[in-house]
Amino acid sequence: MSAFTPASEVILRHSDEWQDRRVLFAGDLQDDLPAQLETQLSRVHTQYYHHWQSLSRSMGDRAQFGLIATAEAIAECDTLIYYWPKNKPEAQFQLQNLLSLLPLDSDIFVIGENRSGVRSAESMLASWAALNKIDSARRCGLYHGRLSQQPTFDADSFWDEYTLDDCTIKTLPGVFSRDGLDGGSALLLSTFTPHTKGKVLDIGCGAGVLATLLARHSPKVRLWLTDVDAAALAASKATLAANQIEGEVFASNVYSDVTGRYDMIISNPPFHEGMQTSLDAARTLIRGAAQHLNSGGELRLVANAFLPYPQVLDETFGHHEVLAQTGRFKVYRAVWGRDARAIKAANRDK
């Protein structure tokens, strides 16, 4: 995180406002403004591991990662600057959690891009803080209010579930495939054959749908699931438990915390960072697979058909194949082996 987002640039328009405040930053943070903004005290709570990784380098334990904010994370803060996410139920979960911990009369600032639906913050928080729009710039809106009543927060009330192929899928707000199986994941699942064996790494696991259904049909697989989203990690753990499937679930920014090698890496990688299109995670996924696949191991991923992944696959593996496709999605497969190593070395030496 380096360049400031439009939302952070709006916050910077009010630099004098923050100097004497003890600020808690939360929500969809995508830059390092909390580490740079001049305040009396700055703390961060984020549900996103890669955001925490960046901010914790300069903020230490004043930056915390997790599904639920604690009193410790909010200690001494009298002001909230909340970055509105693109997912409204996610905002409801996070704001209800944060406002239940902040002291009465705390100042609440909500900032977000207009196209993200930030306007709905006024109605969402109406029972606890009367918000008013105080600035509009960079296609963003900045809202302010004062906490007049603390909400109650019950994390259990936000859980939901659905059934898929006789499996119970546990979900939370903001988790991919929260309301049902998406078309891309369904296409990827259609390419799995029964009796798959070996170590399988599911990157960007979401609610754990891919790993769970794979294990249901191939019980001899051993599963590792990663995601950057604390809600996704909690949902995947709950999904595995609900279906009595064993697997290790842990936070990782693509391969940042992955060790060892695997027989298969599977993914339905995201191509957005907040409201912006970003292919960085998927490119890192493809290029880094070589360091985490056994010889003969394969990377299998699904992506929107228009995304330019074939070139990256060929640069890394020397080849790829399309296992399935629709008008919207393609499932790619690439195998790591001696030929792939030689081609990758040749590409590196060019």
Side-chain angles (χ1 to χ4, degrees), residues 197-201 219-224 246-247 262-263:
K197 298 179 182 179
K199 297 172 62 178
V200 177
L201 175 64
K220 291 187 178 181
V221 295
R222 289 173 289 161
L223 299 173
W224 283 260
E246 293 186 1
Y262 299 83
D263 300 299

Side-chain angles (χ1 to χ4, degrees), residues 114-155:
N114 295 326
R115 60 176 175 158
S116 71
V118 66
R119 296 179 185 88
S120 61
E122 291 180 278
S123 57
M124 181 183 292
L125 271 65
S127 299
W128 314 309
L131 295 184
N132 294 294
K133 193 172 189 178
I134 62 171
D135 197 2
S136 181
R138 301 303 308 274
R139 299 179 181 177
C140 294
L142 176 62
Y143 297 79
H144 169 258
R146 187 158 289 156
L147 186 63
S148 59
Q149 181 177 334
Q150 289 176 314
T152 57
F153 174 69
D154 177 12

Side-chain angles (χ1 to χ4, degrees), residues 232-268:
L233 298 172
S236 283
K237 289 177 182 178
T239 295
L240 292 180
N243 296 283
Q244 299 181 315
I245 293 171
E246 293 186 1
E248 182 178 341
V249 182
F250 60 99
S252 183
N253 180 13
V254 194
Y255 298 110
S256 68
D257 291 65
V258 172
T259 58
R261 291 182 178 270
Y262 299 83
D263 300 299
M264 181 184 288
I265 297 173
I266 60 175
S267 186
N268 183 352

Side-chain angles (χ1 to χ4, degrees), residues 311-320 335-350:
Q311 179 180 351
V312 187
L313 286 163
D314 289 343
E315 290 172 352
T316 303
F317 290 87
H319 64 91
H320 75 277
V335 178
W336 181 248
R338 182 179 302 172
D339 292 342
R341 287 194 293 272
I343 292 169
K344 184 177 181 181
N347 286 334
R348 185 175 59 244
D349 294 338
K350 285 181 179 179

Side-chain angles (χ1 to χ4, degrees), residues 189-205:
L189 284 168
S190 74
T191 68
F192 292 139
T193 55
H195 313 302
T196 299
K197 298 179 182 179
K199 297 172 62 178
V200 177
L201 175 64
D202 181 356
I203 295 181
C205 56

